[in-house]
Amino acid sequence: MLCCSCTASEEALARGTEPPDPRYRALDYSLTLLPEDARSAFLRAYEPDKERFYALLEEAEAESRAAGDFLMLVDKNNALAENYEPADLVSLNDYPLARNRADLRLRKAIMPALLEMDASARSLGLRLVYSSTYRSYAYQRDVYDRWVRQLGQAEADRVSARPGHSQHQLGTAIDFGSIDNSFADTAAGRWLYENAWLYGFSLSYPRGYEAISGYDWESWHYRYIGRAGALLEREYFSGLQQHFLLVLDAYRRQMAAPTP
Ligand SMILES: [Zn+2]
């Protein structure tokens, strides 16, 4: 008995001198960026099995790294460089997809997942129509300037991204169908809302979360975040892409160079 308790306390002593897990520290810091209710919801999912979270995170990061990083945070505060253009853009004209325009391009890296999602929809008699995809920095600048002329800057910022701030520049974002919220009530819109995550796609600007995403509700705009990423977003961030990518961005920075 004495020996046992002796060993146990030696182990405890040894544990106490170990440096804290850097992942815990990085995550603690990153979670401070979330509002209180979102942080609580995250912890309820995370606490019972922390290693499951980190395993899923590593899977999501591995998928993303293999495709040259598709989990970058691009929002009102975080822009892509003027010269950012994915190297693997392909024309949708070369794929059996329903298109509203002839000049649509997306990253080749996401095409296998996209084709699988499209085929699943078709097998149910649904048709996904691709209306807008990759947009260059120069194109965004033209569109934004036009909105500002029509609506003034404040209104323009609610409906349009400033140049460099559009997820469309990633070559992984898609606008479906009518590009207005009548899309939400179509069979294709409902199906995507329920099922897109299974293929790694995420609704970027959901209804009721305008203050978080920074944009009005856009039932038609999806971004690819990978299958593991979509699962993380769903299980730990209540399906809110902005929260997931905000935390991931901070977590990456902390792991690379922790704040003292
Ligand atoms: Zn869009």
Side-chain angles (χ1 to χ4, degrees):
M1 284 299 278
L2 261 179
C3 269
C4 289
S5 67
C6 187
T7 308
S9 59
E10 273 172 14
E11 279 174 3
L13 198 65
R15 272 202 303 277
T17 57
E18 278 174 19
D21 190 323
R23 299 174 306 171
Y24 295 175
R25 198 162 175 270
L27 185 69
D28 275 352
Y29 174 84
S30 307
L31 290 176
T32 62
L33 300 174
L34 295 182
E36 183 57 42
D37 57 340
R39 191 159 59 238
S40 302
F42 176 91
L43 291 172
R44 276 197 300 278
Y46 166 79
E47 294 283 358
D49 187 355
K50 293 180 181 176
E51 283 312 313
R52 181 173 186 276
F53 170 78
Y54 291 108
L56 208 50
L57 182 62
E58 186 40 49
E59 198 182 326
E61 288 283 55
E63 276 182 30
S64 178
R65 271 194 304 273
D69 196 4
F70 51 66
L71 289 174
M72 273 183 283
L73 178 63
V74 181
D75 61 9
K76 293 270 180 193
N77 301 314
N78 298 273
L80 293 166
E82 187 167 353
N83 62 1
Y84 179 87
E85 180 176 326
D88 63 340
L89 290 172
V90 291
S91 168
L92 295 203
N93 296 348
D94 297 331
Y95 296 88
L97 301 169
R99 303 172 303 276
N100 260 340
R101 304 164 57 118
D103 59 352
L104 299 177
R105 290 185 293 164
L106 283 171
R107 290 199 49 200
K108 191 173 186 184
I110 75 163
M111 292 312 293
L114 185 66
L115 291 169
E116 198 181 331
M117 182 166 79
D118 196 87
S120 295
R122 275 174 200 255
S123 74
L124 298 166
L126 301 169
R127 200 166 75 118
L128 302 181
V129 178
Y130 300 79
S131 297
S132 185
T133 50
Y134 171 71
R135 291 179 206 156
S136 70
Y137 186 96
Y139 179 87
Q140 293 171 62
R141 191 174 47 213
D142 292 347
V143 170
Y144 180 73
D145 288 350
R146 202 161 62 231
W147 280 115
V148 171
R149 281 198 299 276
Q150 279 181 20
L151 303 172
Q153 188 144 322
E155 273 297 296
D157 282 334
R158 285 181 54 241
V159 299
S160 177
R162 293 189 176 200
H165 289 267
S166 170
Q167 294 187 345
H168 286 281
Q169 196 178 337
L170 290 164
T172 56
I174 302 163
D175 292 337
F176 290 96
S178 55
I179 320 194
D180 63 41
N181 283 324
S182 66
F183 180 68
D185 295 321
T186 64
R190 283 194 295 271
W191 185 82
L192 271 179
Y193 185 75
E194 295 293 333
N195 297 285
W197 71 278
L198 292 166
Y199 306 91
F201 288 87
S202 154
L203 181 69
S204 297
Y205 312 119
R207 186 181 212 168
Y209 295 97
E210 292 81 358
I212 290 167
S213 75
Y215 288 96
D216 286 356
W217 176 39
E218 292 191 2
S219 59
W220 63 88
H221 176 112
Y222 285 79
R223 170 182 172 176
Y224 185 72
I225 58 170
R227 281 186 165 87
L231 194 56
L232 274 173
E233 176 190 283
R234 188 178 166 90
E235 290 197 11
Y236 297 90
F237 298 93
S238 308
L240 292 174
Q241 184 194 111
Q242 178 69 17
H243 282 169
F244 167 43
L245 295 183
L246 194 65
V247 167
L248 178 66
D249 181 67
Y251 181 83
R252 284 174 167 185
R253 289 172 201 270
Q254 284 299 303
M255 290 300 278
T259 45

